[in-house]
């Protein structure tokens, strides 16, 4: 038997699930940390005597730090050994969580969370490398599904555990639990094989800086579109440029630096030099289509995750904890779909599954758009959430599996880094666009409703600031009208009725717009690979480390290296 056949047999053989246990637990550790910070917000603000915006700033700092350094994190793992870098990162993350638990000020919380985000940039690519190294075929598909499912699972655990701790023994104990989980992951990681470092790898620091600057500019720019202004600067903007909002300026600068980044990477690739990101992850139209589908799904999912709590808390007036309970069916459906979608890979090609998944997501959003009212317990609303979650979970797991299976094993770190990068940027864009769109629709609906309303004369409207409409509760609106205007009770009731109607219709329209985006994603989904699971050629390790720079040749919708491992 040739060595090539032997290698293929070894690749397809089932291996221990221990590495996957570490991968899933570590993903839960990283995701649980962020979710716990959100669930514990009330206790943190009270204990540290700091506003809720400080906690939000800490969360943002961690997210941006992760996105800025994730491409560099993949190369550091390859250079110094993935397992070793992973273990160091897990330890630092555990120490960061201990610092959060011991925080005595908002500054200490901010620094600890920023450090946490930076080391997650080392952890995220490593998780993908562990899966690519230890699992293949159907086993790899299941592993990727479980990795994707770990994120919503962490959200449910944060709700149940952190929520209970915050209301009983204190919010700090949730972070001590993360420290214990970090210790468990560290100990377990010693039980699976180490991955040899690429000692001759030279890190492209210029590319790393360009990537970090571009990501930070884009993240801050998109995040500031709503509070700072879409075009003109609002009162909340930190500064203005000739009256313009800094948000779109930062977005444009981020795109410019991003273009410089890709020019630099192409130049390094043409010169056969090391680069911070290997463009062969996106070498074919199929792989670029997979990235578009991934970004679109994360955009739609994050935007929906913004609109659904907005609906529950503002329209219905529920608390944050009640909101978390209400979205459990949605979160669990994502978990279930991410876990079991792998069972469909042998029956249907990725492009078919992706198209069907986006249709399911659109159907779920349409159900929500036509059924949301003031009663959350409405059965149809819950059904819409479950349908949305099933489609979202299946697509997220599918696109990640497709992208990883199409790339050689040596590029697994780049695939993991790219996944984290797309996840962060798509999330930032999703929240920003959903916020700007929903508020813009709300403002238009309110303006048209009050223009000819007999109970709301222009004299009264002029006393209320309509230049920056936003989603507010009925109680908040009543308080503003009764204390800052001379409105009668009848006029207050009329204004509340207008606000209720405009608020709900704006959410309906926003959900329908997301459904339209999901349906448009059917087009790039049709360009995803058309192979069935098992048709992919096995990706063998190059016999020479320099083979990593060998050219690729397209074979249908897949990619294979021009190399053979036959040593008869």
């Amino acid at each position: 038997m040739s060595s090539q056949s032997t290698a293929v047999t070894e690749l397809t053989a089932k291996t221990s699930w221990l590495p996957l246990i570490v991968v899933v637990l570590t993903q839960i550790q990283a995701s649980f940390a962020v979710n716990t910070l959100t669930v514990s917000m009330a206790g943190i603000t009270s204990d540290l005597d700091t506003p809720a915006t400080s906690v939000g700033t800490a969360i943002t700092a961690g997210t941006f730090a992760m996105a800025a350094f994730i491409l560099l994190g993949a190369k550091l793992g390859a250079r110094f050994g993935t397992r070793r870098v992973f273990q160091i990162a897990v330890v630092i993350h555990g120490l960061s969580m201990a610092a959060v638990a011991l925080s005595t000020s908002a500054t200490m919380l901010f620094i600890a969370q920023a450090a946490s985000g930076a080391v997650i940039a080392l952890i995220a690519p490593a998780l993908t490398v562990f899966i690519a190294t230890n699992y293949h075929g159907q086993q790899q598909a299941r592993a990727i599904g479980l990795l994707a499912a770990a994120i919503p699972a962490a959200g449910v655990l944060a709700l149940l555990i952190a929520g209970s701790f915050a209301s009983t023994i204190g919010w700090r104990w949730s972070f001590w639990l993360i420290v214990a989980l970090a210790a468990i992951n560290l100990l377990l990681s010693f039980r699976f094989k180490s991955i040899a470092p690429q000692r001759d790898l030279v890190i492209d620091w210029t590319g790393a800086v360009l990537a970090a600057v571009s990501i930070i500019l884009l993240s801050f720019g998109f995040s500031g579109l709503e509070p700072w202004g879409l075009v003109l600067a609002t009162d909340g903007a930190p500064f203005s440029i000739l009256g313009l909002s800094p948000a779109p300026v930062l977005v444009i600068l981020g795109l410019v630096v991003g273009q410089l980044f890709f020019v630099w990477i192409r130049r390094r690739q043409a010169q056969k030099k090391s680069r911070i990101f290997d463009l062969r992850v996106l070498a074919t139209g199929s792989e670029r289509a997979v990235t578009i589908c991934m970004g679109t799904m994360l955009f739609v999912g994050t935007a929906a995750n913004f609109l659904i709590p907005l609906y529950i808390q503002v329209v219905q007036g529920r608390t944050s904890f009640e909101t978390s309970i209400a979205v459990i069916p949605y979160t669990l459906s994502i978990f279930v779909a991410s876990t079991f979608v792998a069972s469909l890979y042998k029956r249907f090609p990725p492009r078919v599954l992706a198209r069907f998944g986006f249709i399911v997501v659109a159907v779920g959003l349409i159900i929500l758009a036509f059924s949301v009212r003031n009663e959350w317990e409405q059965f149809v609303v819950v059904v819409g959430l479950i349908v949305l979650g099933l489609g979202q979970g299946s697509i997220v797991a599918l696109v990640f599996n497709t992208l990883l299976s199409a790339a050689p094993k040596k590029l697994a770190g780049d695939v993991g880094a790219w996944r984290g990068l797309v996840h962060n940027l798509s999330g930032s864009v999703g929240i920003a666009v959903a916020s700007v769109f929903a508020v813009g629709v709300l403002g238009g609906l309110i303006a048209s409703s009050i223009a000819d309303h007999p109970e709301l004369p222009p004299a009264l409207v002029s006393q209320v600031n309509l230049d920056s409409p936003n989603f507010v509760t009925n109680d908040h609106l009543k308080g503003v009208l009764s204390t800052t205007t001379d409105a009668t009770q009848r006029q207050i009731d009329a204004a509340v009725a207008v606000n209720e109607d405009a608020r709900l219709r704006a959410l309906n329209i926003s959900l329908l717009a997301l459904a339209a985006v999901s349906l448009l994603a059917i087009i790039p989904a049709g360009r995803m690979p058309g192979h069935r699971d098992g048709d992919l050629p096995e990706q063998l390790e190059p016999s020479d480390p320099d083979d990593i720079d060998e050219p690729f040749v397209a074979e249908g919708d897949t990619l294979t290296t021009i190399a053979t491992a036959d040593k008869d």
Side-chain angles (χ1 to χ4, degrees):
M1 179 183 292
S2 68
S3 61
Q4 184 174 5
S5 301
T6 304
V8 171
T9 302
E10 292 174 354
L11 286 174
T12 55
K14 288 190 175 181
T15 56
S16 169
W17 287 111
L18 178 61
L20 179 61
I21 293 174
V22 177
V23 166
V24 171
L25 287 179
T26 307
Q27 180 66 73
I28 289 176
Q29 173 188 330
S31 302
F32 185 82
V34 177
N35 286 285
T36 297
L37 207 60
T38 304
V39 173
S40 306
M41 188 175 294
I44 294 174
T45 56
S46 175
D47 200 4
L48 301 184
D49 191 24
T50 185
T53 52
S54 297
V55 181
T57 302
I59 296 173
T60 302
T63 303
F64 287 176
M66 183 276 289
F69 298 112
I70 194 165
L71 294 182
L72 177 60
K75 296 305 178 184
L76 289 175
R79 172 65 179 80
F80 299 102
T82 301
R83 194 185 76 169
R84 179 185 303 170
V85 171
F86 167 80
Q87 290 170 335
I88 294 173
V90 167
V91 170
I92 297 175
H93 188 267
L95 293 175
S96 300
M97 293 298 97
V100 172
L102 296 171
S103 292
T104 57
S105 66
T107 301
M108 186 174 178
L109 179 71
F110 177 89
I111 295 174
Q113 190 62 23
S116 169
V119 296
I120 289 176
L122 298 174
I123 291 174
L127 301 183
T128 305
V129 173
F130 289 148
I131 289 179
T133 303
N134 290 278
Y135 304 107
H136 308 277
Q138 189 71 7
Q139 199 175 19
Q140 184 182 92
R142 290 175 180 173
I144 290 173
L146 288 170
L147 175 60
I151 298 177
V156 175
L157 290 174
L159 164 67
L160 299 176
I161 297 175
S164 300
F165 282 4
S167 59
T168 52
I169 60 178
W171 63 271
R172 297 179 187 270
W173 286 99
S174 297
F175 293 94
W176 286 121
L177 183 62
I178 300 174
V179 174
L181 184 57
I184 293 173
N185 288 329
L186 175 64
L187 293 175
L188 289 177
S189 67
F190 284 101
R191 297 189 58 188
F192 54 89
K193 64 180 180 180
S194 62
I195 300 172
Q198 300 176 28
R199 298 293 186 187
D200 57 344
L201 177 64
V202 178
I203 295 178
D204 174 18
W205 292 102
T206 301
V209 172
L210 288 173
V213 171
S214 175
I215 293 165
I216 290 174
L217 289 173
L218 289 171
S219 298
F220 274 107
F222 280 114
S223 298
L225 285 177
E226 197 278 322
W228 300 346
L230 183 61
V231 179
L232 299 178
T234 65
D235 294 337
F239 61 91
S240 64
I241 304 173
L242 299 177
L244 295 176
S245 168
V249 176
L250 292 178
V251 170
I252 293 173
L253 290 175
L255 292 174
V256 171
V257 177
Q259 288 298 313
L260 292 176
F261 167 76
F262 281 106
V263 169
W264 173 260
I265 294 299
R266 291 190 185 98
R267 178 184 174 186
R268 299 280 292 185
Q269 185 162 312
Q271 295 173 346
K272 299 282 186 175
K273 294 182 178 179
S274 64
R275 51 266 185 198
I276 197 66
F277 175 70
D278 201 309
L279 290 177
R280 287 174 297 169
V281 171
L282 308 174
T284 67
S286 294
E287 289 162 332
R288 291 189 288 272
V290 172
T291 295
I292 293 173
C293 290
M294 183 190 302
T296 303
M297 187 63 262
L298 292 169
F299 170 90
V300 172
T302 307
N305 283 331
F306 167 77
L307 293 175
I308 292 169
L310 183 69
Y311 163 70
I312 301 173
Q313 295 184 39
V314 176
V315 175
Q316 297 185 311
R318 304 290 184 92
T319 65
S320 298
F321 185 76
E322 289 174 328
T323 301
S324 300
I325 293 293
V327 298
I328 281 182
Y330 167 63
T331 306
L332 287 179
S333 63
I334 295 177
F335 174 82
V336 171
S338 301
T339 305
F340 294 104
V341 69
S343 62
L344 301 176
Y345 291 167
K346 286 187 174 180
R347 299 182 180 181
F348 306 99
R351 63 176 56 163
V352 172
L353 291 175
R355 283 172 166 171
F356 182 75
F358 279 114
I359 292 174
V360 171
V361 169
V363 169
L365 290 167
I366 291 171
I367 291 174
L368 288 173
F370 284 98
S371 61
V372 290
R373 297 292 182 271
N374 289 325
E375 301 82 19
W376 179 257
E377 293 79 7
Q378 191 174 2
F379 176 74
V380 181
V381 175
V382 177
V383 171
L385 282 176
I386 293 174
V387 172
L388 171 62
L390 290 174
Q392 181 178 337
S394 61
I395 292 175
V396 169
L398 170 69
V399 293
F400 184 30
N401 178 76
T402 305
L403 195 61
L404 181 60
S405 63
K409 191 186 299 182
K410 274 187 172 289
L411 299 184
D414 292 83
V415 174
W418 185 247
R419 168 189 174 243
L421 183 59
V422 173
H423 187 282
N424 176 265
L425 287 180
S426 299
S428 299
V429 175
I431 293 176
V433 173
S435 178
V436 171
F437 183 82
V439 170
V441 173
L442 175 68
L445 291 173
I446 290 178
S448 62
S449 297
I450 65 176
D452 300 318
H453 201 291
E455 298 292 339
L456 301 173
L460 174 62
V461 174
S462 64
Q463 299 178 49
V464 183
N465 182 18
L466 293 178
D467 294 331
S468 55
N470 213 322
F471 287 81
V472 295
T473 62
N474 292 343
D475 291 339
H476 177 80
L477 180 60
K478 290 177 182 178
V480 170
L481 291 174
S482 61
T483 57
T484 63
T485 70
D486 55 6
T488 65
Q489 186 60 47
R490 187 172 180 179
Q491 290 173 329
I492 292 176
D493 293 340
V496 169
V498 168
N499 180 59
E500 283 184 341
D501 179 68
R503 217 169 43 186
L504 196 56
R505 287 169 60 196
L507 287 171
N508 295 148
I509 294 172
S510 299
L511 290 169
L512 286 176
L514 289 180
V517 172
S518 182
L519 290 176
L520 287 175
I522 293 176
I523 299 174
R527 297 187 61 195
M528 285 180 60
H531 60 266
R532 296 177 184 271
D533 188 60
D535 293 339
L536 275 173
E538 296 292 348
Q539 301 292 351
L540 301 179
E541 289 286 357
S543 57
D544 187 332
D546 292 336
D547 286 347
I548 192 69
D549 284 326
E550 288 299 316
F552 280 73
V553 58
E555 291 186 359
D557 290 308
T558 64
L559 224 64
T560 59
T561 55
I562 307 178
T564 60
D566 199 346
K567 301 177 182 178
D568 286 338

